[in-house]
């Protein structure tokens, strides 16, 4: 028996180390990560999901009531109207990032990788800079810039005789969400740029030389050789954008407060969740409904990521050079 | 096919001069090999011919047409890169057809040319595969195929065999020689493998530090190197070189304390360098005294490593087993007619 157990130890452990010592080593290295991850990621997620199946009674206790919260959220007009409003707005928020931020990021990355470019590092740093700034500062600064009273945007347009173009973009229902989205695009465009730029750098120069000998100009070489090779990175950037956008909250809260006005026109899932969970003005905080919205957000993101993993990523071929 | 003429070509990166006054003629249908140590500018010269590097001054003409200011695609050249540089996202067929599509060649002709190249290179079963599904040797053939379909006037190869294993390298070398005969192509080929250079070339260009040291037929470089650099660079194992002093009449040279008679009188006096190849000397009763340091026995031949009293290394190739032990005192005599003499600057002495 003893030899058999020793044999097993040697298979799974480290030669010459007793099973007890090996277990201690395992725990020593694994425990910090497992603990932190469980405490700050797994537990809150599970607790949120569990909370969404309970509802608060008048005596303050919580009672299990199945999927009733979800039914309420999706069918009761007082809940479903704000929910769908936030959901649609969130999709718009995401689409603006996909259609503006990522193409601009791609363009900037392509420009950065031009061999003749000077001051490359300076451009890269400058464009990446807003990403590192606090959202509160960004929100405040842009509010000042766009202010109809003293904002520099108005004076700037007037100086070119384009004053008629100016509007109180942050204050109108039709433009508030778009304006905030574009500010977010401005802030985060550095991230797709850096990711795509890194992918472009990995493409060997000889490949572009070969394309040049084949008669392609820089532009054509980009579209026919480089672009097909960086689709996997663009896919990754898209899924990151999706996750970030559906978890967004801070910029809208910093610029428009929890009400995401005017008239909830800039309300997205994050701000809706905030109002419901913590309460706002006359609205009382509701842990159960808040958890229900949070669980919906989790499911939406899960669906999006699954679609990416199982439908899109499989079609994108990764290339090693 | 066409000839290539390079006149007074200079190329600098900023203040660093990488190519210095290169003059070169490649005859129509010739196979020219550029050799030289790493960093001497072979790739830069090849890329200049291709138009991938702008040149600082000078002229390049292909088939009598000055191409110095033309884009690579207009120079009617094709290049095979060291890393093959196949488009990873296209199959073999599209890799070969890609450039032709951009040049506006009609579909039917593209198909003909691709099929012809595939037949010549035995690529037919592989046409639908992606590069990553090919072995190194197959990728190499696709890269050559991509060059062939362009029907170029000049083929440019940059160390095309360096990523292949030894056996495949020999096969592909033979293959390239066969293609050269078949296509009657003008080829400029960069390598730092001597055997490739000697076996493939009609003409070898030896480069060093951005200059052309010597241009000549393979055996010319072997038998009559124009200077010490070429003497040491061509031939494996490398030539023995020793400091020597010419006597007043130019009839003998004093080397390591003995006087070596020279085959013909040379003009000049003073310090020179003599050279002779390991295969062109023997161990005997006369000659340069040296002490044996190591004997390598390879069976058919053997190499005797020896050192003279003033510390110069000598290598002698012998038939079979020389029967010498370490520490033995020997004398090394260069074979008549195989002694090379170089002046103080390392240039071959006139009349030798
Ligand atoms: N873009 C560049 N900027 C500055 N110097 C360069 C550049 N490209 C090459 N060089 C220099 O030019 C010289 C010649 O380079 P080249 O690549 O032609 O050498 P090579 O003979 O092909 O060497 P190898 O056998 O290692 O391939 C080298 O000294 C190299 O450092
Ligand atoms: Mg090179």
């Amino acid at each position: 028996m003893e030899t058999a157990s020793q044999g097993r130890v040697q298979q799974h452990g480290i030669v010459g180390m007793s099973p007890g010592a090996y277990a201690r080593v395992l725990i020593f290295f694994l425990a910090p990560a497992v603990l932190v991850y469980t405490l700050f990621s797994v537990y809150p997620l599970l607790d949120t999901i569990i909370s969404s199946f309970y509802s608060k009674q008048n005596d303050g206790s919580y009672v299990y009531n199945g999927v009733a919260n979800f039914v309420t959220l999706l069918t009761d007009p007082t809940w479903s109207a704000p929910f769908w409003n936030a959901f649609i707005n969130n999709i718009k928020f995401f689409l603006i990032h996909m259609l503006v931020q990522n193409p601009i990021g791609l363009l900037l990355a392509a420009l950065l990788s031009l061999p003749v470019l000077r001051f490359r590092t300076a451009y890269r740093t400058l464009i990446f800079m807003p990403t590192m700034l606090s959202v509160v500062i960004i929100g405040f600064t842009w509010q000042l810039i766009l202010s109809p009273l003293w904002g520099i945007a108005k004076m700037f347009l007037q100086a070119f005789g384009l004053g008629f173009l100016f509007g109180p973009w942050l204050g109108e229902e039709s433009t508030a969400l778009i304006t905030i989205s574009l500010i977010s695009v401005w802030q985060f465009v550095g991230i797709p740029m850096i990711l795509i730029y890194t992918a472009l750098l990995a493409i060997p120069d000889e490949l572009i030389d070969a394309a040049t000998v084949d008669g392609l100009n820089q532009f054509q070489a980009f579209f026919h050789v480089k672009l097909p090779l960086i689709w996997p990175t663009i896919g990754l950037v898209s899924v990151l954008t999706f996750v970030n956008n559906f978890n967004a909250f801070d910029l809208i809260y910093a610029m428009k407060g929890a009400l995401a006005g005017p008239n909830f026109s800039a309300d997205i899932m994050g701000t809706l969740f905030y109002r419901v969970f913590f309460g706002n003005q006359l609205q009382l905080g509701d842990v159960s409904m808040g958890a229900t919205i949070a669980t919906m957000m989790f499911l939406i993101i899960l669906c999006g990521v699954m679609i990416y993993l199982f439908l899109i990523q499989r079609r994108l071929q990764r290339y090693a050079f | 096919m066409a000839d290539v003429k390079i006149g007074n070509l200079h190329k600098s990166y900023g203040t660093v001069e990488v190519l210095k006054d290169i003059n070169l003629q490649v005859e129509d249908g010739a196979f020219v090999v550029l050799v030289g140590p790493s960093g001497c500018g072979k790739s830069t010269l090849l890329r200049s011919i291709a138009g991938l590097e702008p040149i600082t001054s000078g002229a390049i003409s292909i088939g009598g047409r000055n191409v110095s200011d033309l884009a690579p695609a207009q120079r009617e050249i094709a290049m095979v890169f060291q890393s093959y540089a196949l488009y990873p996202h296209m199959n073999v067929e599209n890799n070969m057809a890609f450039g032709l599509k951009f040049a506006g060649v009609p579909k039917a002709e593209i198909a003909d040319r691709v099929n012809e190249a595939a037949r010549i290179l035995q690529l037919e079963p592989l046409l639908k595969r992606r590069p990553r599904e090919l072995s190194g040797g197959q990728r190499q053939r696709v890269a050559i195929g991509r060059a062939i379909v362009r029907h170029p006037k000049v083929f440019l190869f940059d160390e095309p065999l360096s990523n292949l294993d030894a056996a495949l390298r020999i096969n592909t070398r033979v293959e390239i020689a066969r293609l050269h005969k078949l296509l009657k192509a003008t080829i400029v080929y960069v390598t730092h493998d001597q055997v490739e250079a000697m076996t493939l070339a009609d003409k070898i260009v030896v480069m060093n530090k951005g200059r052309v040291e010597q241009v000549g037929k393979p055996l010319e470089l072997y038998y009559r190197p124009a200077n010490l650099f070429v003497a040491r660079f061509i031939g494996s194992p490398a030539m023995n070189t020793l400091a020597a002093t010419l006597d007043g009449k130019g009839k003998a040279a004093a080397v390591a304390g003995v006087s070596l008679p020279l085959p013909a009188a040379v003009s000049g006096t003073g310090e020179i360098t003599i050279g002779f190849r390991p295969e062109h000397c023997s161990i005997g009763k006369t000659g340069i005294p040296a002490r044996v340091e190591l004997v390598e026995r390879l069976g058919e031949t053997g190499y005797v490593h020896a050192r003279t009293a003033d510390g110069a290394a000598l290598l002698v190739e012998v038939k079979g087993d020389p029967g010498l032990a370490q520490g033995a005192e020997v004398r090394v005599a260069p074979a008549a007619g195989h002694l090379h003499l170089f002046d103080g600057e390392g240039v071959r002495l006139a009349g030798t």
Side-chain angles (χ1 to χ4, degrees):
Chain A
M1 266 327 280
E2 207 187 322
T3 46
S5 85
Q6 268 173 1
R8 215 166 44 232
V9 171
Q10 299 220 334
Q11 255 174 35
H12 298 289
I14 295 171
V15 178
M17 193 182 267
S18 75
Y22 180 60
R24 279 196 298 280
V25 170
L26 272 189
I27 291 169
F28 179 79
F29 283 106
L30 283 180
V34 171
L35 262 178
V36 170
Y37 188 69
T38 310
L39 201 61
F40 294 105
S41 265
V42 178
Y43 170 70
L45 178 67
L46 287 179
D47 194 46
T48 307
I49 294 176
I50 290 168
S51 300
S52 68
F53 293 115
Y54 285 78
S55 74
K56 195 178 186 182
Q57 303 301 299
N58 288 334
D59 61 2
S61 65
Y62 285 89
V63 173
Y64 178 79
N65 69 346
V67 295
N69 288 339
F70 292 89
V71 175
T72 309
L73 182 68
L74 297 175
T75 56
D76 180 347
T78 48
W79 286 105
S80 67
F83 174 77
W84 290 117
N85 173 53
F87 181 69
I88 302 284
N89 282 343
N90 219 148
I91 288 182
K92 289 184 193 161
F93 190 67
F94 167 62
L95 286 181
I96 290 173
H97 281 81
M98 274 304 281
L99 298 178
V100 182
Q101 173 189 276
N102 295 347
I104 292 181
L106 176 65
L107 182 76
L108 290 172
L111 291 177
L112 271 187
S113 65
L114 282 183
V116 291
L117 186 74
R118 300 176 67 202
F119 311 120
R120 192 186 312 268
T121 334
Y123 290 132
R124 207 176 51 199
T125 313
L126 283 175
I127 295 169
F128 199 72
M129 195 89 89
T131 307
M132 297 178 288
L133 287 178
S134 157
V135 176
V136 182
I137 297 173
I138 303 267
F140 185 63
T141 314
W142 275 100
Q143 241 167 1
L144 289 181
I145 293 174
L146 295 175
S147 160
L149 292 179
W150 53 72
I152 193 171
K154 188 178 180 182
M155 296 179 234
F156 186 76
L157 284 173
Q158 279 166 348
F160 290 96
L162 296 170
F164 63 92
L165 284 178
F166 185 81
W169 291 311
L170 279 174
E172 285 188 22
E173 273 185 48
S174 58
T175 52
L177 180 66
I178 296 174
T179 310
I180 296 174
S181 306
L182 291 177
I183 293 169
S184 167
V185 165
W186 172 84
Q187 179 178 12
F188 288 116
V189 73
I191 289 178
M193 178 193 77
I194 287 289
L195 289 173
I196 296 172
Y197 175 61
T198 316
L200 286 174
L201 285 188
I203 298 177
D205 292 340
E206 281 201 344
L207 209 52
I208 304 308
D209 287 340
T212 312
V213 171
D214 267 342
L216 281 76
N217 59 32
Q218 287 278 323
F219 198 70
Q220 292 167 322
F222 182 81
F223 272 97
H224 294 280
V225 179
K226 286 187 178 179
L227 193 58
L229 299 180
I230 58 169
W231 276 125
T233 305
I234 294 176
L236 180 77
V237 164
S238 307
V239 81
L240 281 180
T241 309
F242 178 79
V243 172
N244 281 337
N245 285 172
F246 272 85
N247 277 327
F249 163 74
D250 42 10
L251 183 64
I252 291 181
Y253 184 74
M255 297 190 74
K256 296 268 112 190
L259 286 175
N263 193 22
F264 301 109
S265 62
D267 199 20
I268 59 172
M269 302 296 281
T271 42
L272 174 67
F273 162 77
Y274 179 85
R275 283 199 312 276
V276 172
F277 191 89
F278 293 105
N280 187 257
Q281 297 177 351
L282 291 178
Q283 185 175 1
L284 289 176
D286 183 337
V287 172
S288 304
M289 285 312 279
T292 308
I293 294 174
T295 305
M296 287 304 289
M297 288 167 72
F298 171 69
L299 290 177
I300 292 166
I301 291 173
L302 193 67
C303 285
V305 174
M306 297 285 239
I307 290 174
Y308 169 74
L309 285 181
F310 291 106
L311 294 181
I312 302 174
Q313 197 189 38
R314 286 186 180 190
R315 282 160 214 221
L316 298 178
Q317 182 92 56
R318 279 197 174 275
Y319 302 99
F321 301 107
Chain B
M1 289 300 143
D3 60 341
V4 180
K5 283 200 184 75
I6 296 169
N8 305 99
L9 184 133
H10 288 260
K11 163 81 190 168
S12 310
Y13 288 110
T15 54
V16 188
E17 207 174 6
V18 180
L19 294 178
K20 300 163 191 158
D21 198 27
I22 305 280
N23 288 288
L24 192 62
Q25 299 245 6
V26 180
E27 290 78 19
D28 187 2
F31 198 128
V32 169
V33 175
L34 307 179
V35 288
S38 188
C40 70
K42 308 179 293 287
S43 298
T44 310
L45 178 55
L46 198 74
R47 292 169 56 83
S48 304
I49 299 174
L52 291 169
E53 295 284 350
I55 58 177
T56 311
S57 67
I60 300 171
S61 70
I62 296 175
R65 184 170 65 126
N66 186 347
V67 297
S68 311
D69 298 321
L70 293 185
Q74 295 161 341
R75 296 189 178 196
E76 298 178 79
I77 50 105
M79 187 148 174
V80 177
F81 296 89
Q82 181 172 2
S83 66
Y84 316 139
L86 300 178
Y87 307 118
H89 54 299
M90 297 178 201
N91 64 25
V92 168
E93 188 175 7
N94 288 334
N95 257 288
M96 293 197 276
F98 188 59
L100 299 180
K101 283 183 195 155
F102 268 86
V105 178
K107 270 220 168 69
E109 193 184 338
I110 294 180
D112 284 350
R113 289 200 201 176
V114 168
N115 289 334
E116 185 203 2
R119 186 180 48 77
I120 295 175
L121 295 162
Q122 289 121 44
L123 287 172
E124 279 130 331
L126 309 176
L127 281 178
K128 297 293 173 206
R129 293 216 205 154
R130 296 269 180 93
R132 66 142 107 206
E133 297 155 352
L134 301 176
S135 71
Q138 291 167 335
R139 284 180 210 184
Q140 175 60 263
R141 297 216 302 275
V142 177
I144 295 175
R146 191 171 63 180
I148 290 178
V149 295
R150 295 176 55 79
H151 290 180
K153 290 186 169 164
V154 181
F155 285 89
L156 306 172
F157 288 85
D158 192 355
E159 308 203 24
L161 307 188
S162 55
N163 286 341
L164 301 180
D165 68 40
L168 204 52
R169 207 178 278 200
I170 295 175
N171 283 341
T172 316
R173 201 173 76 206
V174 173
E175 184 78 357
I176 290 178
R178 182 181 72 91
L179 276 176
H180 176 232
K181 300 245 154 48
L182 183 76
L183 302 170
K184 301 186 174 50
T186 308
I187 295 181
V188 183
Y189 185 108
V190 167
T191 179
H192 49 228
D193 184 313
Q194 279 201 35
V195 182
E196 263 173 54
M198 299 298 272
T199 51
L200 287 172
D202 297 323
K203 195 155 98 172
I204 295 182
V205 178
V206 183
M207 293 182 62
N208 184 30
K209 295 183 184 151
R211 285 181 202 286
V212 172
E213 295 280 352
Q214 189 175 1
V215 180
K217 294 206 172 73
L219 291 185
E220 233 168 83
L221 301 186
Y222 179 80
Y223 285 113
R224 286 183 54 83
N227 52 46
L228 260 180
F229 178 81
V230 178
R232 289 189 180 127
F233 190 78
I234 298 286
S236 171
M239 183 186 281
N240 297 307
T241 51
L242 296 167
T245 316
L246 267 189
D247 75 357
K249 298 187 204 82
K251 288 226 168 96
V255 186
V258 297
S259 174
L260 274 186
L262 300 181
V266 292
S267 53
T269 52
E271 301 302 314
I272 62 165
T273 304
I274 66 161
F276 52 90
R277 299 194 181 276
E279 55 271 36
H280 294 151
C281 58
S282 55
I283 291 175
K285 298 218 159 48
T286 59
I288 303 157
R291 181 189 292 268
V292 174
E293 289 194 325
L294 174 71
V295 180
E296 291 174 321
R297 295 177 178 85
L298 305 179
E300 188 196 350
T301 55
Y303 288 104
V304 179
H305 296 257
R307 201 170 284 279
T308 63
D310 40 7
L314 285 178
L315 182 64
V316 184
E317 187 183 310
V318 291
K319 280 265 168 269
D321 184 353
L324 289 169
Q326 189 183 348
E329 299 287 348
V330 293
R331 281 175 172 258
V332 179
H338 287 296
L339 194 59
H340 307 271
L341 304 178
F342 304 95
D343 68 12
E345 261 84 65
V347 178
R348 190 179 189 89
L349 280 179
T352 63

